[in-house]
Amino acid sequence: MKIDFEDDFNSIILSRGYEYYEDGFVEDVLIKDNIITAKVEGTETYDVSVEVDNGIFIDGDCTCPYASEGNYCKHIAALLYYLDNENLDENNNYTTKEKEIRDSLRTINKIELDDFLVELLIEDRDVYDKFRLRFNKSFPSLTIEDYENKIYSAIQSSAGRDGFIDYHESWDYTKNMHKITSEVNTLVDNGEYDLAFDVARTILETIPETDIDDSNGSTGEVADSCIEIIERILEFILYDENVLAKKILDYILNEIKTEYLSNYAIDLYPLFNLYVERNIYLDEIEEGLLDALEVGQSKDYFWNAKHYVDILVDIYNNEDSKKKIINLLKKYSNDNYICLKLVDEYLNADNVNDAITLLKNRLKEDSNRDYAYKLSEIYQKENMMEEYKNILYKLLYELDKYNIDIYKKIKYLYSNKDWLIEREKIISRILKEAKGNTYITDILNIYIEEKKYDDMYNLLKDKDMSTIMRYEEYLLPKYNKELINIYVKCCKSFASKAFNRTMYSELARDMLHIKKMQNSENEYTKLLEEMREKYRNKPAMQDELSQVL
């Protein structure tokens, strides 16, 4: 069945979905009315469904994490490509080719068929791997050395003569590594946790050493697959302290110490949460994180500090140790995120003065608007109205300049009479600072709030048509005729500079906009006649005008 669906997907997702289809990862396709379901192999086997009506893709769903956030994933795309390219028999769910093969197999002698299958599996390594993966329990497991050879072969087969994997070949790299991680997930399913972890770790450790153009995020996807494998292993084994759980923990702790992987944006620290949730090896995790934080203190910027602190706070919450939490947050409160976390701890303990003092001191050192916003919340809640007003003005004039929400909060602090005076002071100050288009949007937002549409018109009348159109709804009731004349002038100016079909199409759309305006018939007709006559030697422009108008 032919399906119209590609416009609904990101191009990268489509590319990966097509690869999944070509690799035969779509299985167990079932059709019931407009709903088609299937199993699609990925990091694990996902349940996928799509709704198709008269060749049009209506909706799709998948059990993978990416689709659970409301996105159309590569697994959905793979199923759609399958449906788009295979001739399905809706009665038995087999393609015509599949049915032909199955009918033929029934006529072949079993011994001859077995001999041929053995010969094929010996000759074709890819077929052998797929067969062994499907019937894993009937084959002896590979060793870590076997997998190391597969991993390095997969990398080398994607690289050029110079050993570099360029942008176009990076898809092959991802596909080859995906085949291995799919097999490792089968090891997890079969309870071969030690081997599965060793393979996942080996793949992760090859990523920083792989010379690759990673513009499309290939290595990130491979790393995510490996981390998901380790996470799956932990979910199976973390019912008690055991050798493998400790081995994995030591690996993670060593990584946060060396930052070998995190330098390549591969972070293992989220795996700590699985241990913390089950109260296993908490002392070791605490010691490791505190050591990592000490090392991180010497750096100008330590991105992982906030993550490590969050994990430690969870541990200390389990111990019901508020003192430890406060001391920890104090020590690392030079980080903005941790500072605000400390403020929340103070507020939870009703230490409002400590929270205010901390924020005021930090605001002197670092003009971070987050501190000012937090102070404004506290001042308002504590009814400290003079302080509240002052911090709002600091935000309006310095830290979050002319933000309309701050403007509205200040407005509510004044009586109607006093506000008329104050707002003119604010507007006057903004206009003095406005240069070019700087702060123009902020002024216009204030004009909308105050219904100062005459001032809005005077500010916009010399701007380009697209800018004026964004505020047209506020101006049309009073300035319909003036806007028509401005738009006509804009179209004439734009037409004189237009030189390609894209610009001609834009001109046609602008003219159509004029045509739809109230009482614009005379001006529009004159403009159209002028465009037809003045640019009669530009057939592409005339063609665009004819199509749109």
Side-chain angles (χ1 to χ4, degrees):
M1 63 176 75
K2 289 300 176 184
I3 305 173
D4 182 11
F5 68 90
E6 292 184 329
D7 289 343
D8 295 307
F9 288 77
N10 175 284
S11 59
I12 295 177
I13 295 295
L14 284 174
S15 177
R16 293 177 180 174
Y18 190 75
E19 289 178 359
Y20 277 32
Y21 156 66
E22 280 195 316
D23 289 339
F25 291 161
V26 181
E27 301 174 343
D28 299 336
V29 179
L30 295 173
I31 301 174
K32 186 174 182 180
D33 299 326
N34 294 337
I35 305 298
I36 301 98
T37 61
K39 304 284 187 183
V40 178
E41 293 295 328
T43 306
E44 55 187 80
T45 302
Y46 297 111
D47 295 319
V48 184
S49 66
V50 296
E51 181 180 357
V52 177
D53 188 11
N54 293 322
I56 298 175
F57 171 58
I58 306 299
D59 198 7
D61 192 26
C62 177
T63 55
C64 74
Y66 184 71
S68 67
E69 297 176 358
N71 305 302
Y72 289 148
C73 64
K74 56 195 172 188
H75 311 106
I76 296 174
L79 174 55
L80 289 167
Y81 276 121
Y82 181 94
L83 298 172
D84 200 42
N85 288 278
E86 303 290 344
N87 183 19
L88 286 177
D89 180 341
E90 297 189 12
N91 293 319
N92 58 22
N93 303 310
Y94 295 139
T95 65
T96 303
K97 191 66 175 177
E98 285 174 336
K99 189 174 187 303
E100 176 187 325
I101 292 172
R102 287 175 181 275
D103 289 343
S104 298
L105 287 174
R106 294 189 185 96
T107 68
I108 299 174
N109 178 277
K110 185 179 184 305
I111 295 176
E112 292 180 5
L113 186 61
D114 287 348
D115 289 343
F116 174 77
L117 182 58
V118 170
E119 181 182 340
L120 177 65
L121 294 176
I122 291 173
E123 290 179 353
D124 194 318
R125 183 68 192 186
D126 287 339
V127 174
Y128 174 80
D129 285 342
K130 286 183 179 180
F131 191 83
R132 189 178 58 80
L133 181 61
R134 175 65 68 86
F135 303 103
N136 188 273
K137 293 181 179 179
S138 300
F139 284 76
S141 295
L142 298 181
T143 66
I144 183 59
E145 289 76 16
D146 293 325
Y147 278 107
E148 286 173 351
N149 291 331
K150 287 164 70 79
I151 292 165
Y152 288 109
S153 295
I155 296 171
Q156 290 169 6
S157 68
S158 304
R161 292 182 179 178
D162 58 356
F164 178 70
I165 303 174
D166 65 24
Y167 176 81
H168 299 289
E169 298 303 324
S170 63
W171 292 117
D172 284 338
Y173 163 82
T174 305
K175 182 171 66 175
N176 292 337
M177 302 305 284
H178 173 77
K179 290 178 181 178
I180 299 174
T181 56
S182 294
E183 187 167 341
V184 177
N185 269 296
T186 303
L187 293 177
V188 177
D189 293 337
N190 293 338
E192 298 183 60
Y193 304 130
D194 287 87
L195 180 59
F197 168 66
D198 287 338
V199 179
R201 179 182 61 184
T202 301
I203 295 174
L204 284 172
E205 290 173 351
T206 65
I207 291 175
E209 301 169 355
T210 303
D211 195 7
I212 183 172
D213 179 349
D214 193 31
S215 304
N216 59 13
S218 296
T219 57
E221 182 171 333
V222 172
D224 289 344
S225 297
C226 293
I227 293 171
E228 287 173 13
I229 288 168
I230 298 174
E231 185 175 357
R232 287 191 67 211
I233 294 169
L234 289 173
E235 287 173 347
F236 281 113
I237 68 173
L238 273 182
Y239 52 84
D240 197 0
E241 297 184 1
N242 60 55
V243 175
L244 181 56
K246 184 62 166 59
K247 179 181 177 181
I248 294 175
L249 177 61
D250 289 341
Y251 172 64
I252 302 169
L253 290 171
N254 183 66
E255 161 50 29
I256 69 170
K257 188 182 299 181
T258 63
E259 296 189 324
Y260 177 65
L261 294 178
S262 61
N263 287 332
Y264 291 85
I266 302 171
D267 291 311
L268 300 179
Y269 65 81
L271 296 173
F272 283 133
N273 292 321
L274 295 173
Y275 290 87
V276 175
E277 287 170 4
R278 293 163 176 80
N279 292 310
I280 296 175
Y281 294 121
L282 298 187
D283 291 341
E284 289 85 347
I285 295 172
E286 179 183 3
E287 181 181 352
L289 290 175
L290 289 174
D291 286 345
L293 286 169
E294 282 297 316
V295 174
Q297 281 279 61
S298 62
K299 301 178 181 179
D300 292 334
Y301 183 67
F302 185 37
W303 169 253
N304 284 331
K306 62 183 181 182
H307 303 297
Y308 297 168
V309 165
D310 277 342
I311 296 168
L312 286 167
V313 167
D314 285 342
I315 292 174
Y316 297 154
N317 273 327
N318 288 343
E319 298 173 2
D320 196 24
S321 178
K322 296 298 180 184
K323 185 177 180 180
K324 275 189 174 182
I325 293 174
I326 292 292
N327 290 337
L328 174 73
L329 297 177
K330 277 183 177 180
K331 185 170 184 178
Y332 300 104
S333 62
N334 58 308
D335 178 275
N336 294 341
Y337 171 85
I338 297 173
C339 176
L340 291 172
K341 199 173 182 71
L342 176 56
V343 168
D344 286 335
E345 285 294 330
Y346 282 145
L347 294 176
N348 289 336
D350 291 327
N351 294 332
V352 177
N353 290 336
D354 288 343
I356 291 174
T357 300
L358 174 61
L359 287 170
K360 288 171 68 175
N361 290 337
R362 286 307 306 273
L363 199 52
K364 289 177 183 177
E365 300 167 6
D366 179 5
S367 296
N368 186 312
R369 67 184 181 187
D370 290 338
Y371 299 147
Y373 272 107
K374 194 67 177 180
L375 270 174
S376 72
E377 292 174 11
I378 297 171
Y379 288 148
Q380 185 179 33
K381 184 177 180 180
E382 297 298 318
N383 202 31
M384 301 168 67
M385 300 314 294
E386 191 62 31
E387 292 85 352
Y388 178 57
K389 179 190 286 188
N390 290 338
I391 201 67
L392 289 180
Y393 272 108
K394 187 173 182 65
L395 280 163
L396 185 71
Y397 288 144
E398 298 177 31
L399 304 180
D400 198 3
K401 296 192 82 166
Y402 312 128
N403 181 295
I404 187 62
D405 293 325
I406 298 298
Y407 176 88
K408 290 178 181 178
K409 288 179 180 179
I410 293 174
K411 178 179 179 179
Y412 295 145
L413 298 177
Y414 288 86
S415 66
N416 291 337
K417 181 180 178 181
D418 291 341
W419 177 243
L420 294 177
I421 300 171
E422 187 62 26
R423 77 177 185 187
E424 296 309 315
K425 291 180 182 178
I426 296 173
I427 292 172
S428 176
R429 177 164 176 167
I430 302 176
L431 289 172
K432 284 180 181 178
E433 291 192 33
K435 294 179 181 179
N437 287 325
T438 306
Y439 304 129
I440 293 299
T441 300
D442 303 297
I443 297 170
L444 291 169
N445 285 336
I446 290 175
Y447 285 162
I448 292 170
E449 169 67 19
E450 303 295 341
K451 297 182 173 56
K452 293 171 69 68
Y453 302 135
D454 291 340
D455 290 337
M456 176 182 283
Y457 171 76
N458 289 326
L459 185 62
L460 285 170
K461 63 184 180 182
D462 296 324
K463 303 296 179 184
D464 60 88
M465 185 171 174
S466 62
T467 300
I468 300 172
M469 285 169 60
R470 290 202 295 271
Y471 300 93
E472 191 179 76
E473 62 179 294
Y474 305 105
L475 301 175
L476 280 176
K478 185 174 181 180
Y479 292 102
N480 183 75
K481 183 176 181 180
E482 288 82 355
L483 290 184
I484 292 172
N485 293 331
I486 291 173
Y487 291 167
V488 167
K489 183 179 178 181
C490 288
C491 285
K492 289 180 180 180
S493 175
F494 184 76
S496 68
K497 303 170 186 175
F499 58 85
N500 60 35
R501 188 170 284 274
T502 299
M503 298 177 77
Y504 300 152
S505 177
E506 183 179 343
L507 171 66
R509 287 195 301 271
D510 288 345
M511 289 178 60
L512 180 61
H513 183 79
I514 296 173
K515 181 181 180 181
K516 292 179 179 179
M517 293 175 69
Q518 192 174 18
N519 301 322
S520 65
E521 184 176 353
N522 289 337
E523 288 79 0
Y524 168 75
T525 302
K526 291 178 184 177
L527 176 62
L528 181 59
E529 290 174 353
E530 180 177 332
M531 294 294 107
R532 293 291 195 198
E533 175 61 26
K534 189 172 183 177
Y535 300 103
R536 61 183 181 278
N537 294 325
K538 289 189 174 183
M541 179 189 286
Q542 301 302 327
D543 180 50
E544 288 297 327
L545 291 175
S546 298
Q547 290 186 43
V548 179
L549 303 179

